[in-house]
Amino acid sequence: MLVGATSEPGGESVAASADPGSARRLQPLLHDLVGTVMAPTSALSGPDGQVRPAGVQGLFHADRRALSQVVLLVDGREPEALGHVHEGAGRTRFVSVVRWHGDAIADPTVRLDRVREIGAYGMGERVEIVSTASVPVAVTVTIDVACDFAPIEVVKSGGPAAAAEPDGSGAGELWWKSEAGRVTVVGEAASAEAAPGGGRLQWEVSLPPRGRAVLRWEAVVDDPAAIVVAPAGAPEWSRPEVSAADRRLTRLLGQSLEDLRSLRLAEADAPEDTFLGAGVPWFLTLFGRDSIWAARMLLPLGTGLAAGTLRVLARRQGTRVDAASGEAPGKIMHELRRHEFALESENLRLPAAYYGTIDATPLWITLLHDAWRWGMPEGEVAALVPALEAALGWLAGHADPDGDGFIEYVDTSSHGLANQGWKDSGDAVRFHHGGQARPPIALVEVQGYAYQAARHAAALLDAFGRPGGSRWRDYAEALAARFRERFWVDGPDGPFPALALDRDKRPVDALTSNIGHLLGTGLLSAEESERVAGLLAGPSMAEGFGLRTMSARDAGFSPLSYHCGSIWAHDTAIVMAGLAREGFGAQAAGLAEGLLAAGEAFGYRLPELYAGDGGLGRPLPYPAACRPQAWSAAAAVTVAHAALGLYPDVPGGRVLLRPLAGAPLGPVSARGLRIGDASVDVAVDSAGRPTVSGLPAGMALDIA
């Protein structure tokens, strides 16, 4: 926080400046808030369970805040919080004590548990008051509520949002109505009273000695204009039974799978196809890149999520050229909102359907290929081949606007994202000396994605009797030759691939985690992969809790920068997976250990990102990180998958088993992984020897 800034937990900060009369709005902080989620609904509160009218606290539904305050009082006072625990997807228990009641002894004798449950269309709480006192206890319990219908972009910008006046009350009920819908609050056996700026539910509770009472209330959101809804049915992936000597892995995986279950979404007009919302609170909607990566990471648990994600994005594939939205024929979209997403302080105005991403299209192609290899039904793959061909059309044309043979981006709208790779903050692409690159920009990892997508597309075209396979294999080889000629630069520790090429085709010579995304794509030779693996394992990059986004030796490095020195769980997992696939077991194990240590420090709910500080003994939070977040949660699956090393090729009839050499994470086993329709069990013993059972009939096994 800036010197002289003021803040309250989870609240809006106002930075002091040289002019005491001036102030700027700051994005509210998240790191000290507790999220309870069942998409498209989420609640963010303090660790005590209170939702205060500050910052980003509130009950949200599909990009809009429904309740901006939910404060529970006992006799007009706040209970004293002891702690909270997540009890599964969409459920959190907050525990507090009421020490001014009960026996006059040191031990608290009146306890209050607040069990919060989020459903797809609202929130309910069960308030349990338990007395172990030897005397009767009489209390007045109130819950003060307020509603502001604030759009998520107003909340994100730290902007003001006035509480709405209730439209009515009666019989334990309060309600608010606007063009955004209706919010109804109902207290079972409570009295309800409207008041300026909100309303109150109230209960009178009398407990006999050692007595107990349960109070219930709920908030229901009616939002007919929402474009995302909760999908029906159970999750589209298996829940494997995982055993590991390192209990951190099983704990991280267990919490992550619950978080992933809570992030499932579908489109309102096509509820049969499920995808994962990117993260709470800012991105609980369809994000092309994020949803694709999360689905790809979950392929060892089944292809259902990948199939739904592929179909949703194919339906919204670009059909025209539109500078305002970034749309182009064949292009896969970036994000979907109910209306324009505007942050005036950043000169950012994104249309409801925004296509400003350079990497989602090649990643979509690779997800289709990988899902096919994991056993996605052939008919479902075939139905997406026309979308594949359209995506290849974009890759052959609009992806390379200046015709230099590299995939590059530039925001021609002047109000979209300045950077359009996964590191999309405005200052993410920096030279070693700290200066920022100017667009058009060709990112290093995107060239790897394009190379891999071209080769994967060629395999799919051949398999499904479509022309063009040879063309795309030639495209890939020509891209590799150009890449080798233009991207490699010399640094203090020898040659490495630059972060990008700028508008003048100069290599952007910062050492970043982006180059780790090349591992496993096939773009690098064996010698080049070894160079990259060694550099990423060095002390300036591998920080002990994961992989820094930028080397600590670069001038632009800051451990609390969004993309220039922080650590992202998904980024670390992607690089770890590439290292494991290419046989760099020791380096992969080091990153896996970092993720497990970070998971333990964050209560096994990995945030979107955290600080890249070293030597502090535990990771520091990045204060505005989403949590839970889809690809961070999916990183736990990637850690388990890398340890086990199961790589199927269902169309080819083969399975490769290549666990991390020497079992650096100790013995690991998983029962209930999925290859096609088959439930597969894999185990790696303490010596690193793998075994597998349950493979689909006729599949040959190769052990590396």
Side-chain angles (χ1 to χ4, degrees):
M1 181 177 293
L2 298 175
V3 175
T6 60
S7 179
E8 58 183 292
E12 178 181 343
S13 297
V14 178
S17 68
D19 177 5
S22 70
R24 59 189 176 96
R25 293 177 185 167
L26 299 177
Q27 180 175 314
L29 306 186
L30 296 171
H31 67 283
D32 55 353
L33 301 184
V34 176
T36 310
V37 187
M38 186 58 72
T41 308
S42 61
L44 285 168
S45 73
D48 56 0
Q50 303 282 39
V51 177
R52 297 179 174 85
V56 70
Q57 297 191 42
L59 172 68
F60 292 83
H61 180 82
D63 263 2
R64 193 176 292 275
R65 185 158 58 190
L67 294 180
S68 54
Q69 174 176 309
V70 184
V71 173
L72 184 150
L73 304 175
V74 177
D75 299 333
R77 300 167 63 178
E78 293 196 31
E80 296 173 290
L82 298 183
H84 69 276
V85 61
H86 297 294
E87 296 187 330
R91 180 181 166 114
T92 306
R93 180 183 294 268
F94 301 90
V95 180
S96 58
V97 292
V98 184
R99 291 194 297 160
W100 56 91
H101 278 292
D103 292 339
I105 60 175
D107 294 338
T109 56
V110 179
R111 167 173 163 162
L112 188 148
D113 283 26
R114 189 173 182 177
V115 183
R116 175 170 298 154
E117 293 193 66
I118 301 294
Y121 301 102
M123 175 176 84
E125 288 189 338
R126 187 176 75 252
V127 180
E128 304 170 353
I129 307 171
V130 178
S131 171
T132 58
S134 60
V135 298
V137 172
V139 298
T140 299
V141 177
T142 59
I143 296 180
D144 292 328
V145 292
C147 169
D148 64 6
F149 292 112
I152 191 69
E153 65 270 21
V154 172
V155 178
K156 190 176 193 294
S157 68
E165 299 301 326
D167 285 278
S169 64
E173 185 173 317
L174 299 156
W175 62 90
W176 294 259
K177 293 185 292 186
S178 79
E179 75 284 352
R182 176 183 170 116
V183 177
T184 305
V185 171
V186 181
E188 183 180 300
S191 63
E193 180 182 0
R200 169 172 283 188
L201 301 176
Q202 182 167 314
W203 294 263
E204 301 296 336
V205 179
S206 295
L207 299 175
R210 306 192 69 82
R212 177 177 182 271
V214 176
L215 314 176
R216 292 181 173 86
W217 75 275
E218 66 175 358
V220 178
V221 182
D222 180 18
D223 186 5
I227 58 172
V228 292
V229 296
E236 291 70 21
W237 54 84
S238 69
R239 175 111 188 198
E241 180 184 330
V242 175
S243 176
D246 191 334
R247 298 295 180 86
R248 295 174 302 172
L249 176 56
T250 55
R251 291 168 184 156
L252 179 62
L253 188 62
Q255 180 62 54
S256 295
L257 289 174
E258 288 297 315
D259 287 338
L260 290 164
R261 185 161 74 95
S262 74
L263 293 171
R264 294 169 67 238
L265 281 171
E267 291 185 290
D269 56 358
E272 68 279 3
D273 287 324
T274 300
F275 59 90
L276 290 176
V280 175
W282 316 128
F283 311 122
L284 196 53
T285 186
L286 176 65
F287 268 71
R289 177 194 311 116
D290 300 52
S291 299
I292 289 169
W293 266 121
R296 192 174 173 193
M297 291 175 170
L298 262 63
L299 281 172
L301 311 186
T303 62
L305 177 66
T309 303
L310 289 162
R311 287 192 289 264
V312 168
L313 290 169
R315 282 195 294 269
R316 293 188 174 271
Q317 197 168 19
T319 60
R320 63 193 179 103
V321 175
D322 179 22
S325 67
E327 183 178 355
K331 193 176 186 183
I332 298 299
M333 73 180 309
H334 176 56
E335 67 181 278
L336 181 67
R337 303 279 185 177
R338 76 167 80 205
H339 50 59
E340 181 183 77
F341 186 89
L343 296 175
E344 297 300 335
S345 62
E346 301 177 21
N347 189 35
L348 192 69
R349 297 195 316 279
L350 308 183
Y354 180 58
Y355 289 78
T357 169
I358 195 65
D359 52 10
T361 308
L363 288 172
W364 185 96
I365 294 171
T366 289
L367 176 60
L368 178 63
H369 172 272
D370 288 359
W372 175 56
R373 294 272 297 241
W374 277 92
M376 181 173 164
E378 187 171 302
E380 295 184 31
V381 178
L384 290 166
V385 169
L388 165 67
E389 292 174 321
L392 290 171
W394 175 83
L395 193 61
H398 293 282
D400 180 15
D402 64 6
D404 69 343
F406 293 114
I407 311 304
E408 58 217 348
Y409 61 83
V410 60
D411 171 41
T412 57
S413 73
S414 77
H415 55 74
L417 292 171
N419 287 313
Q420 297 185 1
W422 85 259
K423 294 180 179 178
D424 57 4
S425 55
D427 64 348
V429 185
R430 290 172 172 258
F431 289 88
H432 171 67
H433 57 65
Q436 293 186 32
R438 300 181 68 178
I441 290 172
L443 289 170
V444 62
E445 77 274 17
V446 176
Q447 313 315 309
Y449 298 161
Y451 175 91
Q452 186 176 45
R455 293 185 59 83
H456 286 172
L460 285 163
L461 293 172
D462 290 350
F464 287 88
R466 303 295 298 171
S470 296
R471 174 195 177 188
W472 286 102
R473 278 185 285 272
D474 291 344
Y475 169 97
E477 295 314 307
L479 175 59
R482 287 190 299 272
F483 180 88
R484 196 159 283 119
E485 178 184 347
R486 301 298 303 278
F487 266 82
W488 281 81
V489 296
D490 288 320
D493 298 313
F496 67 97
L499 166 59
L501 301 182
D502 74 352
R503 68 174 183 177
D504 298 317
K505 309 305 176 185
R506 295 180 301 169
V508 181
D509 57 348
L511 176 60
T512 64
S513 64
N514 301 58
I515 65 175
H517 290 226
L518 300 176
L519 297 167
T521 65
L523 182 61
L524 302 178
S525 68
E527 182 181 359
E528 290 166 343
S529 293
E530 186 173 4
R531 284 286 310 151
V532 168
L535 287 166
L536 295 180
S540 73
M541 291 295 298
E543 188 279 328
F545 294 105
L547 185 66
R548 288 188 176 114
T549 45
M550 176 176 281
S551 167
R553 297 167 68 175
D554 283 308
F557 171 80
S558 168
L560 279 173
S561 167
Y562 198 53
H563 288 130
C564 298
S566 59
I567 297 170
W568 288 64
H570 89 282
D571 183 40
T572 300
I574 289 168
V575 176
M576 178 205 66
L579 289 165
R581 186 67 188 265
E582 296 213 14
F584 300 104
Q587 294 90 334
L591 295 185
E593 165 61 30
L595 287 175
L596 294 174
E600 182 179 39
F602 287 111
Y604 299 103
R605 175 178 270 184
L606 280 169
E608 178 186 19
L609 71 156
Y610 40 96
D613 291 75
L616 297 179
R618 61 172 294 137
L620 289 178
Y622 179 86
C626 289
R627 189 167 176 247
Q629 210 253 6
W631 58 13
S632 292
V637 179
T638 301
V639 173
H641 178 231
L644 296 167
L646 182 70
Y647 304 104
D649 178 6
V650 170
R654 306 194 72 83
V655 172
L656 171 66
L657 203 55
R658 187 178 193 172
L660 293 178
L665 302 184
V668 180
S669 66
R671 297 173 57 88
L673 301 180
R674 304 292 300 181
I675 298 179
D677 292 331
S679 179
V680 178
D681 302 339
V682 185
V684 176
D685 67 16
S686 58
R689 293 182 295 261
T691 57
V692 62
S693 61
L695 293 177
M699 293 198 73
L701 177 64
D702 298 324
I703 299 179

